Amino acid sequence: MHPLDPIFKPQSIAVVGASRRPGSIGREILHNLIEYNFHGKVFPVNPKADFIHSIKAFPTVASIPDPVDVAVIVVPREEVLAVVDDCARKGVNGLVVITSGFSETGEEGRGFEKLLVEKVNQYGMRMIGPNCMGVINADPEIRMDATFAPALPLEGRIGFMSQSGALGVVILNMARELDIGFSYFVSMGNKANTSGNDLLLYWEDDPLTDLILMYLESIGNPRRFMQIARRITKRKPIVLVKAGRTGAGARAASSHTGALVARQGLDVAMDALLDQCGVIRVNTVKELFDLALAFSKNPIPRGNRLGILTNAGGPAIMATDAAISMGLEVSKLSERAAAELQKLLPPEAAVSNPVDMTPKASPRTFAACARFLLEDDGIDSLLVIFVPPMMVSATDVVAGIDALRKEFTKPILGVIMATEDSFDEINEKQPGHMAIYHFPEPAVQALATMERHRHWRERPMGEVRQFPAEREAARELLEAARTLGEVHLSTPDAFRLLECYGIPVARSAAAATIEELEAQAKRVRFPVVLKAVAPGLVHKTEAGGVAVDIRTLEELIAAARRMSEAVGGHTATATEATAQLASSTPLSFLMQEYVRGGREVIVGMTQDPNFGPLVMFGLGGIYVETVKDVTFRVPPLTDVDAREMIRQIRGYRLLEGVRGEPPIHFEALAVILERFSQMVEDLPQMAEVEVNPLMVFPEAHDFCAVDARVRLTLSIAD
Ligand code: COA
């Protein structure tokens, strides 16, 4: 038995705080349990009453003679802990705590919640809530509606979890109107004991749940969520409304990566994470329902070719435009389908795709034409548009199409541009009818999302590969810098770090003094680049610390002298400690081969306060923040993630080569991203890393990082 079974599959329920007052929450929960025909025993518990709602009541849970699986607690906050003790005496294993006034209310409430969680853990119970609206299991074998929502849910195959109770009520109402049914509905409240991840795991193998919908305000453990969701979405779609899209919040950003994350204003980390685990994110509850309708009532399409059947031209054009802009194909019909339709329809009808039957089409014509379209192997899904003319009933059209749904394993979505009365009639006369929308665009959008989901399912999972690396040497490098109180690694050390992970860097030589530089220069091939090196010197270009295309020894020495003078006062980004160090440590130099002819990309990492590290890839160089052609992922990257990142940026075409240029070596670039991800995973001491530019070429052996910055965390926990 699963530890959550006592809550979701109980044989007996105690409603503690079942109230005598009609309209009170405790009374409504008792009422819903009975009204929904719970297949088990219900025991009201109330010390002040002998019976409630015509049912014998008990003064305590312990005094109930029968076993009790779950207690729904609806008593004032101050009573809750004593009720939990009472439940423990009875051997109750599951709790649903409706009572509010816990961590959602501030300091005092947090104290109460801590005590509650401790008690629940101590007794080995499981709990939903506190501060929740209750739970529903619509399985005909159970039929438990332990909520106080006025609308009783329809039975269906959707597991729904909501972090907002109020929204839960709205959702149950709307779902009924749209003929959407649930297997489970869970209002999670403060998620003090049972998390969204726990519920996902519970539904992963649940035979009655095919689709998971989530309304979340926070994800407690994003990395665990990613692991679980990545697996589940291969079999069951997950659609999520995540509130709080704006306000990524300010963060210390001394890199393009950090600045881009902060400036995008959207929670890029969340988007990256959801993308990586195949979770479909929507912005509104309306969109959630649009998708719920399509997914819950249809199989996943086998391809992107859409057939459109209509009795009115305008909406079909809207649907066609929407389909094409969303990547669907409104494909040509097979000759057979076209010939059959021609026989069936009047001469003024259009028998290409969209098939416009004209307003004369009867429900029977709708069904007959739909059949030919569905039989056409060149059509993967069907959109049926109906604008009601006089004398043709929408319900009859829907009934005719519904009959075909049993025969064909292709998605069929309806657009009925009619009044609310027509929808009420369809709900009443055709329960379990096809997915119906008021307008073409949301229907097409839903089909396009289903198509994307098919791609996700078919996409290989990929693997996180481990490459040989000098992990210990890298750690020592970071620790040494930290011991010196440095915030950033020096450029030579940053290069050395990259080399530890097999990321190629430009050939370079360090020199402590101008004399040493002169000696080194005799052994290099010009042209070269000269860079100033000093603790805390991060923005070298701005500080006059970079000179490029130096062609002679004389130019090199002159540049080094200029640099010594210019750089002195530019270590402002350092902490106080490193600034002091900078003034006491003389400037040194890094001479580098002058790399030309490559294309510039950026690879970066920044820490998100909730998600941990976030890896960025995009077009590099000095215009990174202007062009903003970047993409993010939560590491560890799989081989598939790395390749997708590269393909995802707009500048991919540039990397493929324009005007006869050869493409860059994509495989070598992907491996660098994988190695970078491995480095990020291995070294939590790094707050930000940026390799920019990384010069990429058609030949793998030409690749090299030309500049790199590494900012350290102040402590591991930072
Ligand atoms: N055991 C059993 N019953 C008890 C009890 C106990 N230890 N202590 C009190 N009760 C009974 C009361 O006698 C009362 O029954 P009565 O009306 O027949 O006298 C009933 O429980 C409710 O107690 P009451 O004091 O009337 O509280 P209330 O109904 O005003 O409020 C809550 C109780 C739980 C509804 C309220 O505290 C609360 O948290 N409300 C917000 C709930 C919410 O919004 N949750 C989140 C949804 S998203």
Side-chain angles (χ1 to χ4, degrees):
M1 189 166 87
H2 191 283
L4 290 175
D5 280 350
I7 295 179
F8 292 115
K9 297 173 183 159
Q11 289 175 3
S12 60
I13 304 175
V15 181
V16 191
S19 160
R20 289 162 293 180
R21 268 179 300 129
S24 67
I25 294 184
R27 172 64 172 255
E28 288 308 306
I29 290 175
L30 183 65
H31 177 77
N32 277 358
L33 281 169
I34 292 158
E35 192 67 16
Y36 202 54
N37 270 327
F38 173 58
H39 277 215
K41 298 175 189 170
V42 179
F43 304 103
V45 177
N46 186 325
K48 296 190 191 143
D50 272 350
F51 64 93
I52 293 173
H53 212 6
S54 318
I55 306 172
K56 174 176 167 45
F58 295 86
T60 60
V61 179
S63 62
I64 299 171
D66 295 54
V68 173
D69 293 321
V70 61
V72 182
I73 301 181
V74 210
V75 298
R77 183 185 69 176
E78 283 64 23
E79 303 279 326
V80 170
L81 293 178
V83 170
V84 177
D85 288 331
D86 183 22
C87 289
R89 278 192 288 278
K90 180 70 200 163
V92 175
N93 288 317
L95 305 176
V96 177
V97 182
I98 307 288
T99 310
S100 61
F102 290 88
S103 62
E104 80 282 4
T105 57
E107 205 48 51
E108 195 199 9
R110 264 194 292 280
F112 269 102
E113 188 162 305
K114 190 161 172 282
L115 293 175
L116 173 62
V117 171
E118 277 167 12
K119 229 179 228 313
V120 168
N121 289 342
Q122 178 200 328
Y123 291 134
M125 298 166 163
R126 293 305 303 264
M127 171 178 75
I128 302 287
N131 181 36
C132 76
M133 202 192 79
V135 297
I136 293 172
N137 181 350
D139 177 354
E141 304 280 306
I142 310 257
R143 292 201 61 93
M144 166 182 64
D145 180 351
T147 72
F148 53 90
L152 295 176
L154 297 173
E155 183 208 329
R157 304 190 61 82
I158 300 177
F160 188 102
M161 61 176 103
S162 175
Q163 210 175 329
S164 154
L167 201 75
V169 177
V170 175
I171 280 165
L172 284 173
N173 273 337
M174 273 177 80
R176 241 201 123 85
E177 278 168 27
L178 292 170
D179 190 57
I180 291 179
F182 296 101
S183 53
Y184 295 90
F185 175 91
V186 183
S187 160
M188 325 229 343
N190 297 357
K191 302 195 287 188
N193 171 265
T194 303
S195 67
N197 287 338
D198 294 336
L199 282 182
L200 282 180
L201 287 171
Y202 191 63
W203 290 338
E204 180 172 10
D205 292 317
D206 181 71
L208 299 180
T209 303
D210 294 338
L211 168 65
I212 297 173
L213 304 185
M214 309 174 83
Y215 171 85
L216 289 187
E217 283 152 15
S218 62
I219 295 185
N221 186 345
R223 285 178 166 247
R224 186 155 168 260
F225 174 83
M226 185 158 111
Q227 279 164 3
I228 299 168
R230 203 181 251 262
R231 206 174 54 224
I232 295 181
T233 50
K234 289 281 179 185
R235 295 196 286 132
K236 301 183 180 187
I238 302 179
V239 186
L240 173 141
V241 194
K242 163 74 180 64
R245 280 187 80 92
T246 50
R251 36 173 88 80
S254 69
S255 67
H256 294 298
T257 314
L260 276 165
V261 170
R263 226 173 282 162
Q264 292 217 359
L266 303 174
D267 40 357
V268 281
M270 182 57 110
D271 279 337
L273 176 123
L274 297 179
D275 247 22
Q276 265 166 281
C277 52
V279 170
I280 300 158
R281 181 177 193 170
V282 292
N283 293 324
T284 63
V285 175
K286 156 95 176 51
E287 284 174 77
L288 183 79
F289 274 118
D290 288 341
L291 294 185
L293 265 177
F295 274 108
S296 67
K297 290 173 180 264
N298 288 289
I300 305 292
R302 282 191 222 117
N304 74 338
R305 297 162 308 173
L306 173 66
I308 301 175
L309 180 66
T310 182
N311 67 348
I317 296 172
M318 287 155 70
T320 307
D321 286 350
I324 291 167
S325 74
M326 291 173 201
L328 298 178
E329 210 184 301
V330 182
S331 48
K332 198 163 171 290
L333 300 184
S334 69
E335 278 175 25
R336 177 181 172 263
E340 296 289 356
L341 289 166
Q342 196 103 53
K343 278 191 242 162
L344 207 70
L345 293 170
E348 65 271 26
V351 293
S352 56
N353 191 9
V355 178
D356 184 350
M357 302 174 292
T358 78
K360 287 184 204 144
S362 66
R364 195 181 290 219
T365 315
F366 261 96
C369 292
R371 171 179 292 284
F372 288 126
L373 284 169
L374 290 165
E375 279 172 353
D376 186 338
D377 287 339
I379 298 288
D380 299 309
S381 52
L382 179 63
L383 188 71
V384 179
I385 303 175
F386 176 69
V387 180
M390 300 267 279
M391 313 299 289
V392 183
S393 136
T395 309
D396 292 348
V397 170
V398 172
I401 304 289
D402 272 342
L404 296 170
R405 285 170 62 218
K406 296 181 196 85
E407 255 181 81
F408 293 92
T409 50
K410 295 182 181 181
I412 309 175
L413 272 62
V415 175
I416 308 256
M417 301 178 88
T419 56
E420 284 305 322
D421 301 350
S422 311
F423 291 94
D424 293 344
E425 190 187 294
I426 295 168
N427 281 349
E428 194 192 319
K429 297 205 174 140
Q430 278 295 116
H433 57 73
M434 67 169 160
I436 301 177
Y437 300 80
H438 288 64
F439 294 100
E441 290 85 352
V444 173
Q445 173 85 60
L447 277 168
T449 308
M450 288 178 105
E451 171 62 6
R452 270 208 316 281
H453 181 71
R454 177 180 71 85
H455 277 280
W456 163 258
R457 282 199 185 188
E458 289 172 3
R459 167 197 189 271
M461 282 287 237
E463 56 169 328
V464 177
R465 302 192 293 181
Q466 290 296 315
F467 297 86
E470 297 171 57
R471 192 168 160 182
E472 274 319 303
R475 281 216 183 115
E476 281 165 22
L477 210 65
L478 295 170
E479 283 316 311
R482 269 228 299 237
T483 314
L484 287 172
E486 285 177 18
V487 178
H488 292 90
L489 286 191
S490 68
T491 309
D493 280 352
F495 279 161
R496 175 76 197 103
L497 185 77
L498 296 181
E499 282 181 319
C500 287
Y501 280 85
I503 299 170
V505 301
R507 273 188 296 276
S508 54
T513 61
I514 294 186
E515 292 67 41
E516 209 177 297
L517 189 66
E518 203 170 345
Q520 296 261 26
K522 296 202 172 107
R523 289 196 292 274
V524 302
R525 223 174 337 129
F526 285 95
V528 294
V529 174
L530 185 68
K531 293 180 178 176
V533 177
L537 177 63
V538 181
H539 300 283
K540 291 188 285 293
T541 309
E542 292 84 334
V546 180
V548 296
D549 199 10
I550 298 173
R551 287 159 186 268
T552 62
L553 184 62
E554 291 69 37
E555 276 181 39
L556 180 73
I557 304 303
R561 295 226 162 87
R562 270 199 311 278
M563 241 170 235
S564 301
E565 283 161 25
V567 169
H570 277 86
T571 50
T573 50
T575 60
E576 224 170 89
T578 53
Q580 273 169 12
L581 228 146
S583 56
S584 61
T585 315
L587 189 74
S588 65
F589 302 97
L590 186 74
M591 191 169 38
Q592 235 180 14
E593 63 175 314
Y594 182 35
V595 182
R596 282 164 299 179
R599 275 157 270 184
E600 299 186 349
V601 297
I602 182 170
V603 183
M605 180 279 285
T606 188
Q607 297 276 355
D608 180 275
N610 300 316
F611 292 83
L614 202 56
V615 170
M616 183 182 94
F617 167 75
L619 282 193
I622 52 173
Y623 300 120
V624 169
E625 285 178 46
T626 315
V627 179
K628 289 197 193 116
D629 188 13
V630 292
T631 176
F632 295 89
R633 291 288 187 287
V634 177
L637 300 183
T638 65
D639 49 351
V640 177
D641 290 331
R643 280 145 193 85
E644 272 183 2
M645 274 182 106
I646 299 170
R647 271 198 304 275
Q648 215 170 47
I649 60 167
R650 295 193 306 278
Y652 178 66
R653 298 275 297 278
L654 296 178
L655 301 180
E656 279 187 307
V658 285
R659 298 184 180 216
E661 266 178 325
I664 65 138
H665 198 297
F666 284 108
E667 191 48 33
L669 179 56
V671 169
I672 289 180
L673 287 176
E674 289 182 72
R675 286 178 173 275
F676 185 86
S677 157
Q678 183 181 338
M679 175 175 83
V680 165
E681 287 286 289
D682 277 357
L683 305 170
Q685 303 91 324
M686 302 189 301
E688 279 187 305
V689 186
E690 194 158 278
V691 183
N692 183 36
L694 169 71
M695 306 297 274
V696 295
F697 294 86
E699 298 293 336
H701 58 76
D702 289 332
F703 276 43
C704 61
V706 170
D707 207 351
R709 282 179 204 170
V710 177
R711 185 165 68 86
L712 304 169
T713 51
L714 298 177
S715 68
I716 293 275
D718 186 34

